[in-house]
Amino acid sequence: MKFKTLLAAGAAIAMGSTMASASTLDDVKAAGQIKCGVSQGLPGFSNPDDQGNWTGIDVDVCRAVSAAIFGDPDKVEYKPLSAKTRFTALQSGEIDVLSRNTTWTATRDNSLGLDFTGVTYYDGQGFMVRKDLGVKSATELSGAAVCTNTGTTTELNVADYFRAHGMDYTVVAFEKADEVVAAYDSGRCDVYTTDRSGLAAQRVKLSEPDAHVVLPEIISKEPLGPVVREGDNNWGDIVRWSLNAMIDAEELGVTSENVDQMKGSDNPGIKRLLGTEGDLGGQLGLSSDWAYNIIKKVGNYSEIYERNVGPNTPLKLERGVNALWTKGGILYAPPLR
C-alpha cells in the first residue's frame, strides 16, 4: 500500500557539557529534595493530573529514591523535559536523576558522561495507524508519513527498518510528545511510531482511541531506565539499588501491605532487604531501613506496575517480558547480599 507524503521535518540532539557534582547525595540532603527529570506527560510513566500531582512508573522510581534517602517518597521536585533537552539537563546539574522513558544504548552510556542504573521497563518500538487504512502489517507502510519525536532512538530505528525493507517514507518529527500526538490525530501523518508502551499511553489521548490499531511488528529493543551523571558512583548505586530493592521485594513476596509483618521473617534474604540483618543501607550511606521505606511507602515492582500500566489501567499492558524471571519474564535483580 502506498501513502501520500505529507510533510518532512527533522532536528538534531543538542548536547551540553558535563558538570558532575562532588557528591550528589550531599547536595540532595542539603536541598531537602531530589530534582527528577521526567517526561512532559506520558500516562502510566510520568504524567501530571489537573492539580500537578505526578504519577507513573518513572515517577515511582524517583519516589523510591526519595523514600530511601529521606524516609519520605514526596521529597521530589519534578522537572518536565523533552527528549531533546533531557540529557543536557542532567549533564548541567539541572536535575539529579533522569527518569523519563529513556532507552539504554551503548552510545548514550559511553559518550555522554552519563550512567544508566538499570531497566525499569523492557519495551520495543511499534507502529500505530488508523484502522480505516486497512493496514495489517508494517511491511505495507511504503510511502507513509511517519510521526515521531526528535532526539529519540525511534528516528534511527525507523530509518533502519524502512531501509532494510526497501521502503520509502517521510519523517514528521516534533520536540514535544503532545505535538506528535496532535499531528497524528489531525491526520498530518499516516503512522505514529514510538515505544509500544508509549503508543498505548498516547492512544488514550486521541479523539477516537478505538479508531486506531497498533501493528504486530516490534522493530527494536528498548530497555528503559533511570540515568545519572557519570563520576558519582555512590549516587548511581543509590538509584540502582532502589530499583533493585523493588524488584527483589516482589520476588521475595514483600509488599507495602505485609512489609511490617515481614520484618519478623526468618528468611535471610528478607532480613537483608529490610535491614534487620547486614548493613546494605550503610554501604550506600543510608539508614538500615532504606529498602523498608521504599517498599512501605512506594511498593514492590509488581505494585507500581499494576497501578500505573497494568491490565486494570487505561494502558492495559500485560507483564510480558517484564514479568519476573521466575514467572517467564526477564526481570531480574542482582542478589542483595
Side-chain angles (χ1 to χ4, degrees):
M1 181 174 187
K2 286 284 185 181
F3 288 82
K4 181 181 179 181
T5 298
L6 301 176
L7 290 172
I13 301 174
M15 299 299 176
S17 59
T18 299
M19 188 183 78
S21 171
S23 172
T24 307
L25 178 59
D26 288 344
D27 291 345
V28 165
K29 286 182 174 178
Q33 63 180 7
I34 301 165
K35 293 174 288 187
C36 179
V38 292
S39 75
Q40 294 163 309
L42 185 65
F45 288 84
S46 51
N47 195 52
D49 63 18
D50 293 340
Q51 284 73 48
N53 300 309
W54 288 84
T55 58
I57 284 183
D58 292 338
V59 167
D60 278 340
V61 170
C62 298
R63 298 181 73 241
V65 177
S66 175
I69 297 170
F70 298 110
D72 182 341
D74 297 321
K75 299 291 187 182
V76 183
E77 179 185 2
Y78 297 101
K79 291 184 174 290
L81 299 167
S82 70
K84 183 178 179 181
T85 61
R86 57 186 161 175
F87 298 127
T88 305
L90 183 58
Q91 291 163 333
S92 68
E94 180 182 346
I95 58 174
D96 302 308
V97 59
L98 176 67
S99 187
R100 184 202 177 284
N101 60 308
T102 297
T103 301
W104 186 351
T105 72
T107 297
R108 288 172 174 175
D109 204 9
N110 299 335
S111 67
L112 299 182
L114 306 176
D115 278 333
F116 284 79
T117 59
V119 177
T120 309
Y121 188 93
Y122 289 96
D123 212 338
Q125 186 173 338
F127 299 99
M128 182 163 62
V129 298
R130 295 190 65 86
K131 288 180 179 177
D132 58 15
L133 288 175
V135 174
K136 303 299 183 186
S137 167
T139 59
E140 302 171 45
L141 296 177
S142 182
V146 180
C147 273
T148 191
N149 275 104
T150 58
T152 64
T153 55
T154 60
E155 285 185 284
L156 306 176
N157 295 331
V158 165
D160 287 349
Y161 183 82
F162 276 76
R163 183 173 64 181
H165 289 78
M167 300 189 299
D168 297 325
Y169 75 106
T170 301
V171 66
V172 185
F174 300 89
E175 181 176 340
K176 296 181 179 179
D178 280 348
E179 295 173 335
V180 183
V181 175
Y184 172 72
D185 204 18
S186 67
R188 292 184 64 187
C189 50
D190 310 297
V191 184
Y192 180 17
T193 185
T194 188
D195 300 339
R196 286 171 66 89
S197 65
L199 293 177
Q202 302 293 22
R203 183 176 173 174
V204 303
K205 296 181 178 179
L206 299 175
S207 55
E208 298 178 276
D210 293 337
H212 305 265
V213 62
V214 177
L215 300 178
E217 286 84 358
I218 299 175
I219 68 168
S220 69
K221 295 179 293 185
E222 306 290 340
L224 311 177
V227 195
V228 297
R229 282 182 295 279
E230 206 169 63
D232 186 345
N233 291 340
N234 180 233
W235 180 247
D237 287 343
I238 289 171
V239 177
R240 177 178 301 107
W241 289 101
S242 293
L243 172 58
N244 286 334
M246 292 191 286
I247 297 170
D248 202 50
E250 181 185 357
E251 186 172 338
L252 291 169
V254 183
T255 71
S256 60
E257 296 295 325
N258 68 15
V259 66
D260 288 307
Q261 177 186 348
M262 286 292 191
K263 289 183 79 171
S265 170
D266 292 328
N267 184 314
I270 294 176
K271 291 168 75 72
R272 285 191 294 271
L273 175 67
L274 300 183
T276 58
E277 181 176 291
D279 189 30
L280 293 179
Q283 294 170 10
L284 294 169
L286 304 176
S287 62
S288 60
D289 59 356
W290 66 284
Y292 166 85
N293 287 328
I294 293 173
I295 300 161
K296 179 70 176 179
K297 297 172 181 179
V298 182
N300 68 26
Y301 183 85
S302 175
E303 291 178 282
I304 69 169
Y305 187 98
E306 296 302 328
R307 71 169 172 257
N308 290 309
V309 301
N312 294 322
T313 70
L315 274 66
K316 304 182 188 303
L317 295 174
E318 300 290 343
R319 285 289 291 267
V321 295
N322 289 289
L324 291 175
W325 67 290
T326 53
K327 297 181 179 179
I330 61 174
L331 199 66
Y332 187 100
L336 274 77
R337 63 180 311 133

